[in-house]
Amino acid sequence: MTPMEKAGWTPLPHSDEDLERSKSVPDTPQTRAETYRLAWNDPDFMTRRELRAVRLQLELLKPEMILAERGIRSTVILFGGARLPEPGGEAWAAKNETQRKNLEANSKYYEEARKFARLCSQQSATSYYREYVVATGGGPGVMEAGNRGADDVGAPSIGLNIVLPHEQAPNAYVTPELCFNFHYFAIRKMHFVMRAKAVAVFPGGFGTMDEFFEALTLIQTGRMERVPVILFGKAFWQRAIDLDFLAEQGTISPGDQDIIDFVDTAEEAWDIIRRFYTL
């Protein structure tokens, strides 16, 4: 079946047909003019500031349509530091000796993320990779570990990359057909949570905390269904954030801390998800 047949028959020409026809016109000053380009095939027009609303829609639609066509119904999202090396790897992001030692010590979470992704992907296989599909930010560190763990057991995984001022290429373990790139952080965040059945958060910096608190706020305010939110590394997170202090100060409600579970191992984390969904 051709793409046009899948889309349904119509007596009107499809846009891909007109795109090909537009390439076969005679080469004249008129046809070379920017104004003659089909609007949606004109990069200069599509990147104008006035078209921001359209680009936001496109960034929401493209991954949504591809994931739906693939039959992916739910995901497990892994957030965590891009700077964490794999065990035995170089702490490339360290700016001093203290950071180097701490990053190397925290490399254990790379391995736990990889194990956790394997456990999620083994469950995903029982649904022909439609449920509990691993999704990461597509970059290095913990993100790489998550995609790598899925790849270890032959499972697909999603990478939601974003254009940054410094180079951030997708890691080598993201499934190519599920590797996306975003301009807008807000739309990328939506795709993280739209199918999430669990949120696993590993040690990280501002970006990790941003994504973690975004999901936490959605659950706390009832804008998102309650799902397991799991923090890997009790010692790390108990120093990084003090939720009991926030509750004492009255800035969160008593019991809001209970939205979160703390674990140290992949097995502990998967057991929380398994019990939550009675798998």
Side-chain angles (χ1 to χ4, degrees), residues 237-254:
W237 288 109
Q238 285 170 356
R239 284 201 62 186
I241 55 174
D242 191 341
L243 296 177
D244 291 334
F245 173 76
L246 295 180
E248 288 171 6
Q249 296 298 308
T251 55
I252 64 174
S253 298

Side-chain angles (χ1 to χ4, degrees), residues 79-85 92 110 140-144 201-205 208:
F79 296 139
R83 305 180 184 201
L84 266 60
W92 55 268
Y110 180 107
V142 167
M143 296 173 278
E144 176 186 284
V201 188
F202 295 80
T208 300

